[in-house]
């Protein structure tokens, strides 16, 4: 059989390739920006309480309990909240529902590599706007006709943060486009653009519970924005899957937002480890892009990114290397525990000397 | 703000409306075809074992452990298996990846009401093929040019089963179209078309763990078919969400397939209750469509479906009533526990007399 039964566009898709999830013992896994600390113990308790006979019942289709917890936490109204099966699903619906306008969608040349994949899936023209030489977003470069703007803040894989006043300026200059700020890493060192949703009806902020809440394995993401933007996402969701968020994910997500002390403590531990990692990498001669995220993008003047990645891999340490233009010399290193960082630094010292 | 920021097609969507999930105590809930028995106790144990620090890690993106369990159970190869976040997600990807051919997609006039919604989402022309007067699928009616064929077997909300030889005939007559058999209810009384996947490369069978495996709250569905059909679904999935199935869903799903004794025992209990329910409804004067599913579609000659639904609702019993043509006089009643069926029958006797 050929692919004769495929819809035409399927052959043209270039699917996203996620970082590996190898099943190797004692692996130092610093390749997919997971949180080195587990989720709040309250999450496990809440999920355990949700097990049993209720699992036979469909979840509440609107996941209202989770939406309310997020709304309360971020001091917005429940009509300003959308939840999904990981922020990737939320992003997909945003592309489909808010970015298909026959004009190009703008995003940085160096950014989350899923964006061009969504463009392929929804037949949107994506236009890459180059970052500055120092890998920064220059908002004035986005003052061109567009069907939407999206970028992560902090950006990935650079880690660089864009200040809120710059985002406000971007929103002001693009009132007829949805500006989507993808804040997967915001809790590790930035101010959320959620502060701007009351002022700008064209702003959609997307966050995930995979990073700062340490729930990558549970699959939860959400969006906050004007109710009319949220309604577009709801219409797509209700035309795609009535119940994208499981009973266990609802219970676990609510518990994650309830345990503020644990959240603060683990975020601070990650931030403090990042600062230590960056200082140590610089001491080894690496150039490190200033990061507000739970990873650092770094290159060494004498060793290629690919070489270092491979040499680390031989020592059972995995980091992420992108073959893409401008960053092919870099490694993206997730901030692990202090122990994992020690192992990484020891290995790098060995490789470099 | 108007809807000026929506993608054009969003306003035209007519989203699916799922059955209610009310939070009312002592409700007799017979409206969304959930299994009256909880899942296998092994499912809860497996999920509990998966809790803890591993939840911080992304799930294996291909959910291979779950795919292998399904492949082993159904005696197919892992390359013939696709898994998703509920069978609705699997259906959505099938519509997108296999049914967009510029020719109409055929499905019965009385069927799962999400199919026309997917057509709206993916801009597919859907053509309804009327069931016979006795609500049966006549396969010869599908011998017209088409871009695909889909129907549930047993059909929903009729409950009627189409025999495998009829499905084989349909597949033979439509070699250039994907024929998708949506087997959400097959374990309650039919033979799965999975038996035909080796013979027909144009067959895609979709099943769910929400019904016979009693895991509606966990969100798991899967498809079995030729590897080239599965590859199309994988390409869509990997362009949409790398990790649609959570760690907990993978663990729970594997456990559900391991506990065959529990599965057989609960399916048999549902089937035996269905037969008792149908006999009792007929005794009350109802006409009941022969059902191979975990629900019965029934109408009373003297009382409208809407009247009966409302009268039951006042007694804290909810069943599903569809306003659609040809079935507006019917109620769709989920097979509950013997106790729930007794409560239903007592209430109906009261209402009718």
């Amino acid at each position: 059989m050929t692919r004769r039964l495929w819809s035409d566009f399927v052959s043209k898709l270039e699917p996203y390739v996620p970082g590996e999830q190898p099943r190797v013992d004692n692996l130092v896994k610093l390749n997919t920006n997971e949180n080195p600390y587990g989720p709040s113990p309250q999450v496990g308790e809440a999920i355990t309480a949700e097990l049993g006979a209720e699992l036979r019942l469909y979840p509440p289709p609107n996941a209202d309990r989770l939406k309310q917890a997020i709304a309360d936490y971020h001091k917005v109204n429940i009509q300003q909240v959308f939840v999904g099966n990981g922020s990737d699903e939320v992003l997909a619906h945003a592309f489909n529902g808010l970015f298909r306008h026959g004009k190009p969608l703008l995003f940085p040349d160096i950014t989350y590599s899923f964006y061009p994949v969504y463009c392929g899936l929804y037949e949107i023209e994506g236009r890459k706007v180059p970052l500055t030489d120092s890998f920064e977003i220059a908002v004035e470069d986005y003052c061109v006709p567009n069907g939407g703007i999206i970028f992560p803040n902090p950006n990935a894989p650079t880690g660089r943060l864009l200040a809120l006043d710059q985002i406000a300026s971007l929103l002001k200059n693009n009132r007829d486009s949805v500006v989507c700020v993808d804040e997967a890493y915001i809790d590790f060192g930035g101010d959320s653009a959620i502060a701007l949703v009351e002022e700008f009806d064209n702003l959609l902020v997307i966050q995930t519970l995979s990073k700062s809440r340490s729930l990558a394995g549970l699959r939860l993401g959400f969006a906050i924005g004007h109710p009319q933007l949220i309604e577009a996402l709801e219409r797509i969701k209700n035309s795609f899957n009535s119940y994208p968020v499981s009973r266990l994910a609802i219970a676990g997500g609510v518990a994650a937002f309830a345990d503020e002390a644990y959240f603060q403590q683990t975020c601070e531990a990650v931030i403090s480890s990042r600062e230590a990692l960056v200082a140590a990498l610089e001491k080894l001669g690496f150039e490190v892009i200033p990061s507000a995220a739970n990873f650092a993008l770094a290159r060494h003047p004498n060793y290629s990114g690919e070489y270092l990645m491979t040499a680390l891999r031989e020592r059972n340490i995995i980091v992420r290397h992108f073959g893409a233009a401008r960053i092919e010399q870099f490694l993206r290193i997730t901030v692990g525990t202090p122990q994992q960082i020690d192992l990484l630094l020891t290995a790098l010292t060995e490789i470099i000397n």
Side-chain angles (χ1 to χ4, degrees), chain A:
Chain A
M1 174 169 131
T2 62
R3 294 164 169 187
R4 65 192 166 85
L5 298 172
W6 291 16
S7 299
D8 278 344
F9 77 103
V10 175
S11 314
K12 286 178 281 178
L13 290 178
E14 293 182 25
Y16 179 73
V17 180
E20 294 173 86
Q21 295 292 334
R23 301 187 125 204
V24 177
D25 285 341
N26 300 318
L27 189 72
V28 179
K29 187 173 180 303
L30 304 174
N31 69 327
T32 50
N33 297 343
E34 287 136 334
N35 196 313
Y37 307 105
S40 158
Q42 293 183 23
V43 169
E45 290 161 22
I47 290 172
T48 304
E50 189 70 22
L51 287 171
E54 292 292 286
L55 222 43
R56 74 181 182 88
L57 298 174
Y58 284 97
N62 295 317
D64 279 336
R65 198 157 63 93
L66 177 58
K67 282 188 183 173
Q68 192 63 58
I70 294 168
D72 292 346
Y73 188 87
H74 284 294
K75 301 188 172 52
V76 296
N77 194 294
I78 193 169
Q79 280 81 32
Q80 294 169 288
V81 181
F82 178 79
V83 295
N85 184 38
S87 62
D88 283 344
E89 181 176 86
V90 179
L91 284 165
H93 291 338
F95 273 69
N96 197 7
L98 302 170
F99 290 154
R100 294 170 66 184
H101 294 291
K103 281 184 284 186
L105 173 71
L106 310 182
F107 47 81
D109 62 339
I110 300 171
T111 195
Y112 186 28
S113 50
F114 220 131
Y115 299 160
V117 176
Y118 293 130
C119 287
L121 185 62
Y122 298 116
E123 299 179 303
I124 296 163
E125 182 198 343
R127 186 167 302 168
K128 293 180 179 176
V129 179
L131 296 176
T132 66
D133 288 344
S134 53
F135 288 166
E136 289 175 277
I137 290 174
V139 296
E140 59 274 19
D141 295 345
Y142 291 77
C143 289
V144 294
N146 66 73
I149 295 169
I150 187 166
F151 56 89
N153 195 40
N155 195 8
T158 66
R160 271 208 178 269
L161 187 72
L162 186 64
L164 276 195
D165 63 337
Q166 294 297 297
I167 294 176
S169 154
L170 192 66
L171 285 157
K172 258 180 226 153
N173 289 324
N174 290 278
R175 295 245 180 219
D176 289 329
S177 296
V178 173
V179 175
C180 179
V181 185
D182 179 359
E183 297 189 335
Y185 302 101
I186 195 73
D187 296 322
F188 299 115
D191 291 324
S192 171
I194 294 171
L196 302 174
V197 292
E198 291 298 335
E199 191 180 349
F200 296 99
D201 69 1
N202 56 329
L203 167 63
L204 190 76
V205 179
I206 294 182
Q207 293 196 359
T208 177
L209 277 77
S210 296
K211 310 294 186 184
S212 57
R213 308 258 169 204
S214 203
L215 288 170
L218 191 60
R219 317 306 303 123
L220 275 174
F222 61 94
I224 291 181
H226 190 284
Q228 289 283 346
L229 299 187
I230 300 304
E231 194 190 328
L233 301 181
E234 292 290 352
R235 290 178 68 88
I236 303 273
K237 172 257 180 191
N238 287 318
S239 301
F240 177 81
N241 188 354
S242 304
Y243 317 95
V245 181
S246 79
R247 285 186 170 265
L248 306 185
I250 291 171
V254 169
F257 280 99
D259 196 351
E260 180 66 10
Y262 185 88
F263 170 71
Q264 290 296 345
Q265 177 201 321
T266 46
C267 284
E268 280 161 25
V270 169
I271 292 166
S272 134
S273 292
R274 179 186 67 220
E275 300 314 314
L277 170 66
V278 169
L281 287 171
E282 286 175 344
K283 219 170 142 189
L284 283 173
F286 281 87
E287 174 197 355
V288 188
I289 309 300
S291 171
N294 70 337
F295 56 82
L297 191 70
R299 71 172 157 194
H300 196 278
N302 307 333
Y303 299 88
S304 78
E306 193 165 6
Y307 172 80
L308 291 173
M309 176 197 66
T310 308
L312 285 170
R313 181 70 192 236
E314 284 162 5
R315 288 158 175 87
N316 234 10
I317 298 171
I318 55 174
V319 299
R320 192 106 194 244
H321 172 256
F322 298 89
R326 300 182 69 187
I327 55 167
E328 71 274 16
Q329 288 310 307
F330 287 83
L331 297 178
R332 192 196 65 186
I333 304 169
T334 301
V335 176
T337 59
Q339 294 75 13
Q340 290 177 315
I341 293 174
D342 281 350
L343 289 167
L344 171 82
L345 294 169
T346 305
L348 283 175
T349 308
E350 216 179 276
I351 294 162
I352 284 170
N353 295 331

